[in-house]
């Protein structure tokens, strides 16, 4: 798993590699400028203190030092900015890829994942790569370049100081590797807690009514509380390790710098080393440890990204179930379908047996096909296959125009009214615009009239601007269903699909919906899953799926 997530992170990093390469290259240039700046400073102080240089007489060394310091600042700033841009770019591209995967997996494939866990992974999880790319990678590069450069310069200046730095420097990465190993498991635990917290909180909010009905709301609040507490404790454990690591690093590096200073001081007094050399080495010594300390400060970004990768990998492994409508081998005719033909269609979930087995029927334009059958007989599965959110295992579905040509599946215009339509938290207009953002108010009103919902909208004080609340909480079930029907009609579908359009509705609302469906069949192919006589009695054909694994189906003429 660890290897998999490391290669997963490398894959994300590769997305921004050109910009990241600029950040790393500039960090290396800044390292060279830093050494130069320290050399010039040592020279300047040496000249001012011991060689009688006056800045008034010759300002060039001072100006040179200032120029290098300024250049180094600018180069470092551009390097930091390039790192940030690389991080943002990688995260944006990765997020887009994840969103595309959501659509390719589709609602059926996503059923196996907890929504809260998925949401946390796709938001906080993806965001965890930003500091990893923007800070950790440039700092890791700087940790290699700057100390080596300084060691090389010090080696040429003073052997003893070189020895001290060369011995103490590598101790820090070794120590960090030891600490990092145990910190990773703490970080993994913290992420697991966060994912659990997200999933439980969402479950509790979604099931609030049920929990209250069974008197378990308090219990659920306590559970979320205890998960939040567990996450807090896990975070504190990670923080403790982080603080301890930086304290120990500070201690070691200060000790090493002090050792260099003592050795240099005593050798300066005994005349074994001149002031310029001693001062230059003393200026370089803290800079030798600074990248190691910076690296350690951003090391948790790597651990965080590794931990976040676990949740994302579980999501990335989900198989893509949505049918690629673009791959239809048939001629790309764009005309209206005259009939929709199911040819020996078989379909099922995962490795399980076929739920649909050799289904064949034809639905004609201008007719309503009602699909009935016992619970679990595969009615919803049949609609999913038609909507392209799951693939067929055998057979196929074709739409044929009036000249007998097959219409490419990407050109099918399908309107879908689910059993529990999802309205977004916005106005009625926003929700209707979702299907067709270009439609104007006149068009919107005429489609609403077609769906039998215009009088209801007009009776509201704010009309089309009425806010429907999250998932349409401000509306009744019947109103939501009729608005969903209007939304499905917005892009003038040729095929209209209903899943239990009148289920859970009172007689008045059910009659209104059923009455709206009949005229909609004119010029369209309507397929409706329903057990209700109000729909079945209007149907031109009734497709019955027997309970259990389907081996046959019957088509009966409905009572007119
Ligand atoms: N996402 C899924 N993964 C695995 N099996 C599933 C999935 N969805 C449905 N099934 C199974 O497929 C079979 C048919 O389910 P389907 O929902 O199509 O039936 P249905 O006729 O629409 O039932 P209902 O009238 O109760 O909605 C059932 O045995 C069900 O357990």
């Amino acid at each position: 798993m660890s290897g998999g997530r490391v290669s997963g992170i490398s894959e994300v990093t590769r997305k921004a590699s050109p910009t990241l390469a600029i950040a790393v290259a500039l960090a290396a240039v800044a390292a060279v400028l830093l050494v130069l700046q320290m050399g010039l400073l040592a020279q300047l102080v040496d000249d001012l203190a011991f060689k009688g240089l006056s800045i008034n007489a010759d300002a060039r060394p001072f100006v040179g030092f200032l120029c290098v310091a300024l250049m180094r600042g600018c180069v470092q700033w551009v390097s930091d900015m390039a790192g940030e841009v690389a991080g943002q770019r990688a995260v944006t591209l990765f997020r887009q890829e994840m969103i595309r995967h959501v659509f390719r997996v589709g609602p059926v494939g996503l059923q196996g994942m907890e929504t809260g866990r998925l949401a946390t992974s796709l938001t906080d999880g993806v965001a965890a790569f930003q500091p990893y790319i923007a800070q950790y990678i440039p700092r890791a590069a700087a940790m290699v370049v700057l100390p080596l450069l300084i060691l090389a310069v010090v080696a040429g200046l003073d052997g003893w100081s070189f020895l001290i730095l060369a011995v103490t420097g590598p101790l820090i990465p070794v120590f960090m590797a030891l600490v990092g190993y145990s910190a990773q498991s703490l970080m993994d635990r913290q992420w697991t807690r966060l994912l659990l917290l997200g999933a439980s909180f969402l479950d509790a909010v979604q099931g609030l009514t049920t929990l209250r009905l069974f008197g378990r709301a308090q219990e659920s609040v306590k559970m979320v509380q205890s998960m939040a507490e567990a996450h807090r404790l896990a975070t504190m454990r990670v923080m403790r390790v982080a603080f301890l690591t930086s304290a120990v690093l500070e201690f070691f590096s200060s000790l090493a710098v002090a050792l260099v200073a003592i050795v240099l001081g005593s050798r300066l007094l005994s005349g074994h080393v001149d002031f310029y050399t001693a001062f230059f080495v003393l200026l370089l010594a803290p800079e030798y440890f600074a990248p190691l300390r910076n690296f350690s400060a951003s090391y948790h970004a790597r651990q965080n990204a590794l931990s976040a990768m676990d949740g994302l990998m579980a999501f990335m492994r989900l198989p893509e179930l949505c049918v690629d409508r673009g791959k239809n081998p048939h001629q790309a005719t764009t005309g209206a379908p005259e009939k929709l033909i199911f040819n020996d269609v078989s379909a099922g979930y995962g490795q399980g047996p076929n739920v649909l087995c050799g289904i064949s029927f034809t639905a004609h334009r201008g007719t309503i096909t009602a699909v009935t059958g016992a619970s679990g007989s595969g009615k919803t599965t049949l609609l999913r296959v038609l909507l392209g959110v799951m693939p067929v295992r055998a057979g196929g579905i074709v739409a044929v125009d009036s000249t007998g040509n097959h219409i490419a599946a990407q050109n099918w215009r399908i309107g879908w009214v689910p059993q529990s339509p999802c309205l977004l938290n916005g106005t009625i207009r926003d929700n209707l615009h979702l299907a067709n953002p270009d439609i104007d108010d006149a068009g919107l009103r005429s489609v609403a009239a077609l769906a039998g919902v215009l009088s209801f909208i007009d009776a509201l004080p704010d009309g089309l601007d009425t806010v429907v609340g999250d998932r349409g909480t401000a509306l009744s079930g019947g109103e939501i269903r009729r608005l969903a029907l209007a939304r499905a009609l917005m892009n003038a579908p040729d095929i209209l699909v209903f899943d239990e359009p009148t289920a859970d509705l009172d007689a008045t609302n059910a009659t209104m919906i059923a009455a709206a469906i009949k005229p909609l069949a004119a010029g369209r192919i309507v397929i409706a899953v329903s057990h209700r006589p109000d729909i079945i009695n209007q149907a031109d054909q009734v497709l019955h799926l027997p309970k259990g694994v389907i081996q046959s189906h019957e088509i009966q003429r409905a009572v007119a």
Side-chain angles (χ1 to χ4, degrees), residues 107-109 111-112 321 348-350 353 355-356 372-384 390 419 499-500 529 531 545 550:
V108 177
Q111 274 175 356
L321 291 182
Y349 296 90
V355 172
L356 297 179
T372 65
S375 177
S377 60
K379 304 179 295 293
T380 305
T381 309
L382 186 129
L383 296 191
R384 284 173 175 166
M390 66 181 281
Q419 195 171 347
D499 191 358
E500 301 281 8
V529 161
H531 295 103
L545 301 176
I550 301 155

Side-chain angles (χ1 to χ4, degrees), residues 41-54 275 279:
L41 181 61
Q43 190 66 62
L44 188 66
V45 173
D46 189 36
D47 288 350
L48 285 172
F50 302 105
K51 295 185 180 155
L53 175 82
S54 153
F275 175 80
F279 190 44

